[in-house]
């Protein structure tokens, strides 16, 4: 009986949960717990991957990330990892990781802003909460944070995958096509509002898929490309250009150099 009431309560809660684009979402995890999970995952990654000391790379990434996160607010921790695989991620709890390898694919500030905007959009739309909710029951909540403290365990590996940090840290669990489209659209608006050129977004995705190193970038394993991605973005670019124009008029005109 008690359980049934709890379940009914959750369903009511779920019905009111919609994503920024108006999509219904299943959200069972308290956001505070998702933040804790993001923090724990970030700590695990920092324990495994060296931080890049290259000053110009750090300055470049911080400059772009600061411009993007200013649009969503809050204090974000941004770390550049010394890792040749082209990857980046953002976690609940306002954590952003960018690998040095990504800087070879993202050719300028606008393309890096495309990736960071897309990543921050995943966090803004609470996609990790949705993914964890689909996989685990709510009673496991606190246990899940603990599981992330031992990322090599089975649950730890699955959770790292659900947080979207990439195959090297856990089980490979790509974002769904719906979540990808949502992050593309929200991310595009976000980069434009920060003053970056939204037209570079399609070039970034083309760079991603035509990476001439032979194998596709790590980033695409968790953020799969779909056939309509470029046309969907292209259709939204005119309105994004207006947002960029407004941003420039308000003095938001970033000049971050690699
Ligand atoms: Zn994505």
């Amino acid at each position: 009986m008690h359980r049934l009431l709890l379940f009914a309560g959750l369903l009511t809660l779920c019905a009111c949960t919609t994503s920024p684009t108006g999509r219904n979402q299943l959200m069972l995890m308290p956001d505070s717990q998702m933040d804790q999970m993001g923090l724990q995952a970030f700590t695990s990654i920092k324990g495994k991957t060296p931080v890049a000391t290259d000053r110009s790379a750090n300055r470049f990434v911080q400059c772009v990330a600061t411009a993007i996160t200013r649009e969503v607010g809050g204090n974000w921790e941004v770390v550049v990892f010394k890792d040749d695989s082209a990857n980046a991620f953002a976690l609940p709890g306002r954590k952003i990781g960018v690998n040095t390898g990504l800087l070879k694919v993202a050719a300028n500030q606008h393309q890096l802003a495309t990736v960071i905007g897309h990543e921050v959009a995943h966090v803004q739309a609470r996609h990790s909460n949705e993914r964890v909710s689909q996989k685990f029951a709510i009673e496991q909540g606190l246990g899940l944070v603990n599981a992330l403290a031992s990322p090599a365990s089975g649950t730890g590996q699955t959770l790292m995958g659900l947080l979207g940090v990439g195959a090297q840290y856990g089980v490979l669990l790509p974002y769904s096509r719906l979540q990808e489209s949502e992050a593309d659209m929200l991310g595009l608006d976000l980069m434009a509002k920060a003053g970056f050129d939204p037209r570079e977004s399609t070039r970034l995705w083309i760079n991603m898929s035509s990476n001439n190193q032979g194998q596709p970038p790590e980033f695409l394993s968790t953020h799969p490309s779909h056939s309509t991605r470029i046309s969907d973005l292209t259709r939204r670019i005119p309105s994004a250009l207006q947002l960029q124009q407004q941003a420039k008029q308000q003095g938001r005109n970033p000049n971050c150099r690699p």
Side-chain angles (χ1 to χ4, degrees), residues 115 118-119 122 127 164 174-176 179-184 205 219 222-224 229:
V115 175
H118 177 98
E119 281 305 305
H122 274 305
H127 288 165
Y175 282 100
S176 74
Q179 290 173 327
E180 276 305 278
S181 298
E182 197 163 66
D184 277 348
W205 287 108
F219 190 77
T222 41
H223 305 265
R229 165 169 268 149

Side-chain angles (χ1 to χ4, degrees), residues 67-89:
I68 293 284
T69 55
R70 194 186 295 133
E71 298 307 309
V72 296
N75 270 328
W76 291 71
E77 182 183 358
V78 184
V79 173
V80 184
F81 291 104
K82 192 170 160 40
D83 188 321
D84 287 337
S85 57
N87 201 16
F89 56 85

Side-chain angles (χ1 to χ4, degrees), residues 47 92 105-106 128 131 143 189 198-199 215 231 238 250:
V105 180
S128 293
R131 278 150 63 87
D189 287 2
R199 291 169 296 188
Q215 65 195 73
S231 55
Q250 289 160 3

